Amino acid sequence: MRFIRFMPGLLLSVLALVAPAAAFAADAVPTISIPQISQAPELSDFAGMTPATALARQMSKMENFVQREPTDGAPASQRTEVYLGYDERSLYAVFLAFDSDPSQIRANLASRENISGDDTVELTIDTFNDQRTAYTFRVTPLGVQWDARWTEGFSNRAGFDTTWEAVWDSEGEVNDQGYIVRIAVPLRGLRFPDAQDQVWRVQASRQIPRLSEESFWPPYSNAVDGRLNQTALLTGIRNVSPGSNTQIIPFVFARDVEAINPRAPGGPLMESDKEYDLGVDAKFVFNDAWVLDLTLNPDFSQVESDEPQVTVNERFEVQYPERRPFFVENADFFATDSILLFTRRIVDPEGGMRLTGRAGQWGFGTILMNDEAPGLNRADTDPLKGEKANIGVFRAYRDLQGQDRIGMLFTDRELADGYNRVLSVDGKFRFNENWVTNLEFINSDTEPTFGGAELSGMQRNVRIDRVGRGFNTHFHIVDTDADFRAQLGFQNRFFKSDISGIHWRSDYQIYPENSNLNNWAPGMMFVYQDDKDGTKVYSEVSPSINWAYATSRITLGAQDITEVLRPIDFPGLVRPVGYSYDNVNARYRNTALSSLTFDVSFRTGTALNLVPRRGTLPFVADTQRFDVSLLWRPIERLRVDNSFVTTELDSSRGKVFSNEIFRSSWNYQFTREMSLRFITQYEKTDAGPNTRLIDDENLNFDILLRYVINPWSALYVGYNTNQSNFDIIEVEDEREVVVTNDLKRDGDQIFVKFSYMFQP
């Protein structure tokens, strides 16, 4: 098979890299042992910001937090104590967050996970002690929750993945010495080894936004690459198990919608319709570390709208995050540096199953499902009408010493007589505490849906990174054949087929003494790409400099770009044509005020017009872009998020276009469970004579009442209405849509969604 032709070279590379990694030995790891307690602790057990009862005094204590930001290695400016304990059902943590000026604590009543700008405390737990993934639980002084899955490495899931949701308990209160927070994490919501004695890893932290301070125990230094390799060992937990952990989550979704039917007899027409949907998700946990997810008519309705992004004059597609429940658990299992599984490609499945879990040093995951989307809304004569894509995914990896790992991923998408099959082998290896590398070698085989020549291609992906307190660098080589295809993946400029190139980014952090300036950092990014025929297609040189103060950050930068479009990139070109353009940019962010945070950026220079008038070729035009985001907290219960983006392209030939996007989201929190949210979004494209774009104007209003008990048990009642610049006119006994200067309602809906989690 073609799949195995690259294996020998890969294995030699792996062996060559494992050897130097073996020489790296970590410093002594701090350890904390926690006791089993007889009952759940309460805030009252810590009255007066001290362990006031025998139960509280029994719990293990963490203290002496150390800053990571703004001064790495310095003692925390405010004292924090954390008390840990467990029983047969839950892990408990109580944070005593002392503050020399409690009136400055930022604490607002907000919806779950909508806590940016507030003071917080955080507990991170690596239950497999593998230093690769962990659960993180963050809480505000008022007990509002935020949770995420932390993943080490370079994949699109690396860092905090907030799409992961858990059911846990928290509460908090502010007092005259600071604030106190209690966290209770049910063991049935965690995955951990099936062993009598558990050895986990733990990290506690505190965030103080008015000081831009993050402090940790044990110390988590930015002079060392990685997070979980700087955590403490957690021992003392014995004879625990998630127990019988079964979750059944049925949902019902109903809506009354009025919208334009473009396929109505005689032409487009406004029509009303009622829709009802029922489905169920089920989760079964066995042997503590294995999870089976089943779904029937899965709940893929999305009541939370995606953040607006500029898509006009963009050459590559925009990536939106996956937030649908079925794909969330252990999503990091399937993530690699090359995004080979972008689950938003699976649009409308009837059902599916997913199995993920660990056995010793091995991890496994598989997904089987179908997708009805390819066969929907097609004409009766279309051969794909009613066809469904069948999808299979398999992932396996093995953990080596330290944080080293090797793995493989296989994806298969089959539609009609065609298929796309991708096999990847990947590895991450650490040279020392600063240097780390990632290798990925991928092969794809594609049989076109309606016949034709089979396509086969490879992608080679190698990156080397250094993370330190001073010098940081990222060096990345991606080499992709012309016939490489990954239909379930996501390919941006760096990973696109028929592209070979490098991108390199470096900066150097400088920390002045006795200065209001925390640090400043000059940096540089360089990109060079050509195609498989050796034609240069893209190059970029981008210097920048960044200044960081306690509550503000300033960045200045520039870009000098040369881009080549080939006939395959733009219809009408008969040969490759090069374009040179550049810009300067600036950004300022300020968090000094508790009620107001703003972020402003500006870019001016030239850009490539990729949407020229029909019959003409792309050309370089003058451009300006202005971005503003503003978070306003006028009262404790109200949060207002505003954003505005405007982009303009002009040239000596005349105006190309202008594009404006304004979004304002108002959220009023009645209680921790119930909130009312209102969003208005306005977008306008004003097209000039030098573009094929047309004038486009859109105004949307969205109101949503939410009652959320936990991420899986919630009631949503919403109304949405949309207006755009169109009209429907009669032309020769048929209707057609025309562009106008006035806004007219083109659709609205009222919907109800209810889901509830049953946990026997």
Side-chain angles (χ1 to χ4, degrees):
M1 291 181 64
R2 297 180 181 87
F3 286 151
I4 64 173
R5 65 187 181 188
F6 59 89
M7 291 291 187
L10 172 65
L11 293 177
L12 289 175
S13 300
V14 169
L15 292 174
L17 285 165
V18 169
F24 170 60
D27 295 333
V29 179
T31 301
I32 181 171
S33 180
I34 68 173
Q36 183 171 7
I37 53 181
S38 57
Q39 63 186 68
E42 303 292 341
L43 295 183
S44 58
D45 290 309
F46 294 84
M49 296 286 281
T50 187
T53 65
L55 175 68
R57 290 188 291 271
Q58 183 187 356
M59 300 173 71
S60 297
K61 179 180 178 181
M62 297 188 293
E63 58 182 343
N64 300 323
F65 279 48
V66 175
Q67 290 185 38
R68 174 179 169 89
E69 297 289 348
T71 308
D72 188 36
S77 65
Q78 307 294 327
R79 180 161 60 101
T80 307
E81 298 175 359
V82 186
Y83 294 84
L84 294 177
Y86 80 97
D87 60 24
E88 61 182 10
R89 292 178 300 179
S90 299
L91 175 72
Y92 303 100
V94 177
F95 287 77
L96 305 183
F98 296 87
D99 201 299
S100 57
D101 189 359
S103 65
Q104 296 300 308
I105 293 173
R106 300 183 182 182
N108 296 278
L109 193 61
S111 57
R112 192 177 190 274
E113 297 196 341
N114 205 13
I115 63 173
S116 60
D118 279 8
D119 282 62
T120 55
V121 292
E122 178 182 292
L123 185 70
T124 294
I125 312 167
D126 172 6
T127 54
F128 285 95
N129 186 23
D130 62 6
Q131 304 174 53
R132 293 169 180 85
T133 59
Y135 304 102
T136 295
F137 306 91
R138 187 180 295 175
V139 185
T140 73
L142 298 184
V144 181
Q145 299 178 353
W146 177 99
D147 51 26
R149 176 102 161 161
W150 173 269
T151 301
E152 299 277 347
F154 307 117
S155 73
N156 63 313
R157 292 285 178 174
F160 284 122
D161 179 5
T162 58
T163 62
W164 179 78
E165 306 276 11
V167 179
W168 49 292
D169 184 49
S170 64
E171 58 181 328
E173 63 181 26
V174 180
N175 56 49
D176 59 2
Q177 297 184 66
Y179 64 93
I180 179 173
V181 161
R182 184 186 76 99
I183 295 174
V185 181
L187 296 177
R188 69 190 305 175
L190 303 177
R191 315 289 175 250
F192 48 83
D194 182 8
Q196 181 177 5
D197 293 294
Q198 298 291 322
V199 179
W200 298 355
R201 282 182 173 260
V202 66
Q203 179 189 75
S205 67
R206 179 179 177 184
Q207 294 76 35
I208 308 175
R210 74 177 190 270
L211 304 175
S212 294
E213 180 176 319
E214 291 183 287
S215 58
F216 294 82
W217 188 92
Y220 169 31
S221 173
N222 57 27
V224 176
D225 175 74
R227 179 188 183 105
L228 300 182
N229 52 315
Q230 300 185 62
T231 53
L233 288 175
L234 178 68
T235 62
I237 300 178
R238 295 174 49 85
N239 300 320
V240 297
S241 170
S244 176
N245 189 357
T246 299
Q247 298 176 9
I248 308 295
I249 309 171
F251 80 92
V252 57
F253 180 81
R255 70 172 180 167
D256 190 336
V257 59
E258 185 175 17
I260 293 178
N261 179 4
R263 297 178 177 81
L269 182 69
M270 290 286 290
E271 292 184 349
S272 298
D273 191 19
K274 291 181 172 58
E275 297 181 11
Y276 305 93
D277 209 1
L278 296 171
V280 63
D281 291 332
K283 186 184 302 289
F284 305 92
V285 179
F286 49 94
N287 290 343
D288 296 348
W290 289 85
V291 184
L292 175 65
D293 289 280
L294 302 175
T295 185
L296 180 63
N297 192 24
D299 177 11
F300 281 3
S301 60
Q302 189 171 343
V303 297
E304 301 294 340
S305 60
D306 289 316
E307 290 295 321
Q309 299 191 54
V310 175
T311 58
V312 177
N313 200 44
E314 292 293 327
R315 184 175 171 190
F316 301 97
E317 69 174 317
V318 174
Q319 183 179 2
Y320 290 98
E322 175 63 86
R323 297 191 177 277
R324 298 174 296 181
F326 177 77
F327 292 114
V328 169
E329 171 114 11
N330 288 340
D332 54 275
F333 271 53
F334 304 95
T336 59
D337 188 59
S338 294
I339 305 176
L340 303 177
L341 180 61
F342 179 49
T343 51
R344 288 186 74 135
R345 300 277 188 236
I346 307 172
V347 179
D348 192 3
E350 290 178 305
M353 63 82 63
R354 186 178 54 150
L355 176 67
T356 54
R358 294 179 56 103
Q361 300 300 309
W362 290 89
F364 299 94
T366 188
I367 298 174
L368 296 174
M369 64 190 333
N370 66 3
D371 187 0
E372 292 185 288
L376 297 177
N377 300 319
R378 292 185 178 270
D380 292 338
T381 56
D382 193 319
L384 285 182
K385 180 178 176 60
E387 291 287 335
K388 304 169 187 177
N390 294 312
I391 294 163
V393 181
F394 178 74
R395 171 67 167 166
Y397 62 78
R398 190 183 192 283
D399 292 336
L400 307 175
Q401 59 190 357
Q403 291 182 299
D404 296 352
R405 170 179 285 180
I406 57 174
M408 62 81 63
L409 175 71
F410 176 73
T411 69
D412 181 22
R413 181 182 185 271
E414 305 200 11
L415 176 63
D417 296 327
Y419 60 79
N420 173 244
R421 296 168 185 162
V422 178
L423 177 66
S424 166
V425 178
D426 61 277
K428 176 191 174 185
F429 307 97
R430 179 180 296 281
F431 296 114
N432 55 36
E433 65 179 16
N434 299 113
W435 289 91
V436 63
T437 186
N438 189 88
L439 308 174
E440 189 168 4
F441 300 91
I442 312 158
N443 196 93
S444 74
D445 278 341
T446 304
E447 182 75 35
T449 301
F450 300 114
E454 181 180 350
L455 303 176
S456 182
M458 288 188 63
Q459 182 177 95
R460 294 152 284 267
N461 177 353
V462 179
R463 62 181 288 173
I464 299 174
D465 289 71
R466 186 191 192 277
V467 175
R469 179 170 170 78
F471 177 60
N472 297 270
T473 190
H474 164 76
F475 183 80
H476 204 158
I477 301 173
V478 182
D479 178 36
T480 309
D481 294 346
D483 289 337
F484 178 83
R485 302 288 186 273
Q487 294 178 2
L488 291 175
F490 183 90
Q491 294 177 292
N492 59 19
R493 177 183 299 279
F494 300 113
F495 296 88
K496 195 167 179 60
S497 299
D498 195 24
I499 294 295
S500 177
I502 64 171
H503 59 275
W504 165 68
R505 182 179 64 250
S506 292
D507 64 66
Y508 193 86
Q509 302 277 343
I510 301 169
Y511 300 85
E513 296 183 2
N514 304 317
S515 171
N516 292 329
L517 181 64
N518 292 337
N519 64 75
W520 64 283
M524 177 69 76
M525 182 171 180
F526 171 77
V527 181
Y528 184 88
Q529 294 179 319
D530 56 19
D531 63 18
K532 303 304 288 185
D533 292 329
T535 302
K536 173 185 173 181
V537 295
Y538 187 82
S539 67
E540 175 184 342
V541 178
S542 300
S544 64
I545 187 168
N546 180 81
W547 295 270
Y549 296 87
T551 57
S552 62
R553 185 177 293 269
I554 303 170
T555 302
L556 298 178
Q559 288 182 300
D560 187 357
I561 296 171
T562 299
E563 185 165 7
V564 175
L565 296 182
R566 303 159 296 170
I568 193 175
D569 300 319
F570 193 90
L573 288 173
V574 296
R575 59 179 177 81
V577 178
Y579 304 87
S580 294
Y581 51 98
D582 53 48
N583 68 75
V584 294
N585 52 80
R587 180 179 179 182
Y588 177 69
R589 175 178 171 81
N590 188 286
T591 60
L593 300 177
S594 61
S595 61
L596 186 67
T597 297
F598 61 90
D599 194 327
V600 180
S601 64
F602 177 71
R603 184 178 69 198
T604 184
T606 54
L608 182 57
N609 175 21
L610 292 166
V611 286
R613 188 175 68 248
R614 296 189 185 280
T616 63
L617 299 179
F619 60 90
V620 174
D622 296 327
T623 184
Q624 287 189 347
R625 173 166 170 165
F626 190 60
D627 293 66
V628 180
S629 63
L630 185 146
L631 168 61
W632 182 39
R633 304 298 302 257
I635 58 176
E636 179 186 284
R637 295 175 182 268
L638 179 62
R639 177 188 179 100
V640 183
D641 287 280
N642 293 310
S643 63
F644 175 71
V645 182
T646 177
T647 306
E648 295 182 359
L649 255 69
D650 293 286
S651 74
S652 58
R653 309 179 189 182
K655 179 176 181 176
V656 181
F657 71 84
S658 63
N659 176 249
E660 299 176 355
I661 304 175
F662 172 75
R663 176 184 172 101
S664 184
S665 175
W666 297 61
N667 189 91
Y668 187 83
Q669 203 72 27
F670 298 99
T671 65
R672 280 180 57 182
E673 295 79 19
M674 187 167 70
S675 64
L676 181 66
R677 187 203 67 190
F678 173 76
I679 295 177
T680 181
Q681 181 166 317
Y682 175 76
E683 181 170 3
K684 180 179 181 180
T685 299
D686 187 6
N690 291 292
T691 178
R692 65 173 179 269
L693 298 174
I694 61 174
D695 290 345
D696 185 57
E697 195 172 1
N698 191 277
L699 178 63
N700 184 272
F701 296 103
D702 186 339
I703 188 168
L704 180 67
L705 180 66
R706 297 177 288 193
Y707 189 83
V708 181
I709 302 173
N710 60 55
W712 315 116
S713 301
L715 172 66
Y716 300 91
V717 180
Y719 172 74
N720 177 278
T721 183
N722 196 80
Q723 302 175 51
S724 59
N725 59 324
F726 83 103
D727 199 1
I728 299 176
I729 63 173
E730 295 280 348
V731 179
E732 297 180 355
D733 298 326
E734 289 192 352
R735 296 177 298 273
E736 68 177 44
V737 175
V738 296
V739 176
T740 67
N741 293 323
D742 299 320
L743 292 176
K744 182 178 181 179
R745 184 176 62 89
D746 61 8
D748 57 18
Q749 68 168 325
I750 184 169
F751 67 88
V752 177
K753 175 184 172 183
F754 177 70
S755 63
Y756 190 81
M757 181 178 69
F758 295 93
Q759 245 181 331

